Amino acid sequence: MEKPGNGDVIVVGSGVVGLTTAVVLAETGRRVRVWAREPAERTTSAVAGALWWPYRIEPKALAREWALVSLSVYEELAARPGETGVRLVEGVMGETRLDELGAWAARVPGLRPATAEEYPGTALRARLPLIDMPVHLRLLRERLLRAGGTVEERTVTDLAEARAPVVVNCAGLGARALVPDPAVRPVRGQLVIVENPGIREWLVSTDPAAGTTTYVFPQPDRLVLGGTTDEDDWSQIPDPAVAAEIVERCAALRPEIAGARVIDHRVGLRPVRDAVRLEREVLPDGRVLVHNYGHGGAGVTVAWGCAREAAGLVGPTASV
């Protein structure tokens, strides 16, 4: 017999937001099924550079709260990096000042102005979670399965197909057609994966004049170089000219990158929206639909905070 308050939940979407939400729900005793159009390793989340930082996400106040909840979880997970894919790594955030950030920044470990030796311009130094997404997505899936949840590869064309007391919509960019919600749109990001020539710290540098953000993220077995922010671009095919430009920009910051062997090229479509949609809807038949999408490039940063809020929105109507 089920415990009071338990019941079937279908989570639509298997990116980091969907899997994290499913884990939170399953670990509080709910019976959770994830419906995924594709395996987690083929989602946009798997391509993410995955440095924790509130990045291009609205509403700012709520996003910062969600981000700090996530930060606490990642700090715990960083104690087991091989298992969780989460490490706390030192690095420099270029073109950023403390007085621009607000009170939330006091919670960020080691956050301080960078010295002139550390960065030739205004910048901050911090020790932030940097996440190896293939490892982390595998961890989330394993946690979900251990908690009794399931994952089913299934393409959903209408949320009405999900016949359960509770449906949680974490479809990301898919929400554009699924809801439908034309406010969700792609911002394309292209990355180059190279052998790591010995770089241990991450680096983010922004050139406002050129409209580019360049970043270098060291993972245990590779170096992730980026990137692009191509608005309303649906192409998932890497552009060789863009790749060469990314390597050139990164090498200008860290010259040892110039000779690094290229391992792979990747493209991800960030599911951007003017503001995250995280809200509860009661359907005419009494079932509950919770929306949790539109996180743009900050899905990893806010995943745990949004998942816990979404779980709260599920509410007592999950009973069966």
Side-chain angles (χ1 to χ4, degrees):
M1 181 176 292
E2 300 202 12
K3 301 174 187 175
N6 276 20
D8 284 332
V9 180
I10 292 176
V11 175
V12 179
S14 65
V16 68
V17 171
L19 283 180
T20 305
T21 301
V23 166
V24 170
L25 287 164
E27 290 183 346
T28 54
R30 300 186 186 275
R31 200 168 53 203
V32 179
R33 292 173 284 163
V34 172
W35 284 4
R37 182 181 60 195
E38 55 194 356
E41 59 269 21
R42 292 212 298 267
T43 62
T44 296
S45 297
V47 181
L51 177 75
W52 179 95
W53 189 259
Y55 166 75
R56 288 184 63 162
I57 181 169
E58 297 284 349
K60 279 191 171 64
L62 283 174
R64 289 164 179 175
E65 291 177 17
W66 299 327
L68 291 180
V69 170
S70 301
L71 176 61
S72 295
V73 175
Y74 291 136
E75 286 173 335
E76 293 174 11
L77 294 177
R80 309 185 311 281
E83 173 193 347
T84 67
V86 182
R87 295 174 298 130
L88 296 178
V89 181
E90 294 276 345
V92 172
M93 184 71 65
E95 292 70 47
T96 310
R97 302 197 317 266
L98 274 175
D99 59 10
E100 297 172 336
L101 299 183
W104 66 274
R107 172 63 183 79
V108 178
L111 188 64
R112 62 165 175 80
T115 65
E117 290 73 27
E118 291 167 336
Y119 190 79
T122 302
L124 298 177
R125 185 172 181 83
R127 190 166 182 251
L128 301 180
L130 181 60
I131 300 148
D132 187 341
M133 287 308 294
V135 175
H136 189 63
L137 291 169
R138 185 164 60 245
L139 167 82
L140 292 174
R141 183 186 173 100
E142 289 170 355
R143 279 180 61 168
L144 173 63
L145 297 178
R146 283 200 303 270
T150 61
V151 179
E152 177 184 343
E153 283 191 38
R154 176 170 178 160
T155 298
V156 182
T157 57
D158 189 325
L159 289 173
E161 297 171 27
R163 302 299 300 177
V166 177
V167 177
V168 186
N169 170 21
C170 300
L173 191 58
R176 181 181 174 91
L178 193 59
V179 174
D181 184 352
V184 186
R185 56 191 180 83
V187 173
R188 180 182 181 275
Q190 182 167 328
L191 307 174
V192 181
I193 314 300
V194 301
E195 286 186 343
N196 192 338
I199 292 171
R200 296 288 174 263
E201 296 191 349
W202 55 268
L203 175 62
V204 178
S205 179
T206 302
D207 183 342
T212 58
T213 299
T214 302
Y215 48 84
V216 176
F217 295 152
Q219 295 292 356
D221 60 347
R222 63 196 185 282
L223 195 62
V224 179
L225 309 181
T228 65
T229 52
D230 307 318
E231 308 271 346
D232 301 306
D233 188 337
W234 289 88
S235 173
Q236 293 183 272
I237 300 171
D239 182 326
V242 171
E245 182 197 343
I246 289 171
V247 173
E248 183 180 349
R249 283 194 273 123
C250 290
L253 297 170
R254 297 298 302 262
E256 60 268 47
I257 290 171
R261 185 175 72 87
V262 174
I263 299 171
D264 198 5
H265 298 274
R266 296 179 186 169
V267 172
L269 304 181
R270 305 174 184 95
V272 171
R273 193 172 184 271
D274 291 342
V276 171
R277 187 178 186 191
L278 184 46
E279 62 187 25
R280 170 190 170 106
E281 185 180 342
V282 179
L283 300 176
D285 60 5
R287 294 183 305 125
V288 170
L289 173 59
V290 174
H291 295 286
N292 184 12
Y293 66 87
H295 305 85
V300 172
T301 297
V302 299
W304 287 93
C306 288
R308 290 180 180 175
E309 185 164 328
L313 293 174
V314 164
T317 52
S319 301
V320 294

